[in-house]
Amino acid sequence: MTLPTPSSPLTSPAPPFRLWTPEERRASLEEALTHWRHGEDVWVYGYGSLIWRPEFDFLERRLATLHGHHRALCLWSRVNRGTPECPGLVFGLDRGGSCRGVVYRLAGNAVPDFFPALWRREMSTGAYLPRWLNCSTEQGPVRALVFIMNRDNPAYIPALPEAELLAVIRRASGTYGPCTEYVIETANALRSAGIRDASLDRITRLLKEQTNLLPDN
């Protein structure tokens, strides 16, 4: 009897992929802002590219710790840092542990202008769950909008063995550029902000040391 070969992200078919419609994004945004009072300032938590490319004006920025979730390369990217045929990986907030990031305070009167663009960026496939969660800062706790990973979304992928993770990152590129660039830029931004992520530092070091290394086949 021949045993089936275990599947691998490098050999398995790409999971289903669909962009959300503008109507789906609008409904999600309206639900997230249900309890927001017009004109009230809001906080937004960043843990990945929002640290080095927020794309919105802000009144204040603080280092912040979110408990209950950790930063992980757990989300397939089939547009920005990959393609449907050759997806890359981007960061999501997966369950467990804690995450050091930043929180931005946005002026309340800017929310109607900035939030639709934020939703186009973060909620293009509905892979995240927008939640208002407490974040710890040196100046005290703040309640911030946090995009956590939706494990029920087909774009979610659990932790990969290191060799496969590196291979996926190296081979992928999308409309925003190579996946390798995304990972390294995020690591650089974290260090510049005074945030230490030992796991990401190791991945970045290996990507820089072995730039041309790909697995067999």
Side-chain angles (χ1 to χ4, degrees):
M1 180 178 68
T2 303
L3 295 176
T5 302
S7 61
S8 161
L10 299 178
T11 58
S12 301
F17 170 65
R18 183 180 72 85
L19 290 172
W20 264 18
T21 66
E23 291 74 22
E24 287 174 307
R25 289 199 308 271
R26 188 180 308 113
S28 170
L29 173 56
E30 290 175 354
E31 181 180 359
L33 293 177
T34 298
H35 301 293
W36 173 68
R37 291 178 295 181
H38 187 78
E40 181 180 46
D41 292 354
V42 298
W43 292 89
V44 176
Y45 180 80
Y47 57 90
S49 63
L50 280 177
I51 295 178
W52 51 274
R53 190 168 56 84
E55 295 184 333
F56 49 70
D57 296 329
F58 52 89
L59 301 175
E60 185 181 356
R61 168 177 157 157
R62 301 180 188 174
L63 291 177
T65 300
L66 174 71
H67 295 283
H69 296 83
H70 66 281
R71 183 173 28 246
L73 287 161
C74 60
L75 174 60
W76 288 118
S77 176
R78 303 182 188 86
V79 177
N80 295 342
R81 297 292 176 173
T83 65
E85 299 76 23
C86 185
L89 287 168
V90 293
F91 289 104
L93 286 171
D94 207 358
R95 297 175 191 165
S98 63
C99 181
R100 190 73 165 156
V102 301
V103 285
Y104 300 96
R105 181 166 64 90
L106 279 66
N109 58 12
V111 168
D113 295 326
F114 288 145
F115 266 48
L118 181 64
W119 245 250
R120 285 193 298 271
R121 171 176 170 168
E122 301 295 329
M123 296 296 292
S124 61
T125 63
Y128 295 133
L129 298 171
R131 295 289 185 267
W132 296 93
L133 301 176
N134 291 328
C135 299
S136 302
T137 78
E138 289 186 357
Q139 298 86 347
V142 300
R143 194 160 184 82
L145 175 68
V146 181
F147 293 98
I148 63 174
M149 189 66 223
N150 180 4
R151 284 190 168 192
D152 293 330
N153 190 282
Y156 170 71
I157 180 168
L160 291 172
E162 186 177 84
E164 291 191 14
L165 177 71
L166 292 169
V168 169
I169 295 170
R170 289 190 185 104
R171 72 177 186 171
S173 186
T175 56
Y176 283 2
C179 189
T180 300
E181 176 188 65
Y182 164 83
V183 175
I184 292 174
E185 287 288 350
T186 301
N188 290 341
L190 292 179
R191 283 194 294 272
S192 296
I195 299 171
R196 175 75 192 282
D197 187 320
S199 176
L200 178 54
D201 285 344
R202 172 176 170 79
I203 292 171
T204 302
R205 184 174 69 253
L206 292 173
L207 289 172
K208 291 178 177 178
E209 290 174 352
Q210 307 167 357
T211 54
N212 297 317
L213 181 62
L214 287 172
D216 294 339
N217 301 319

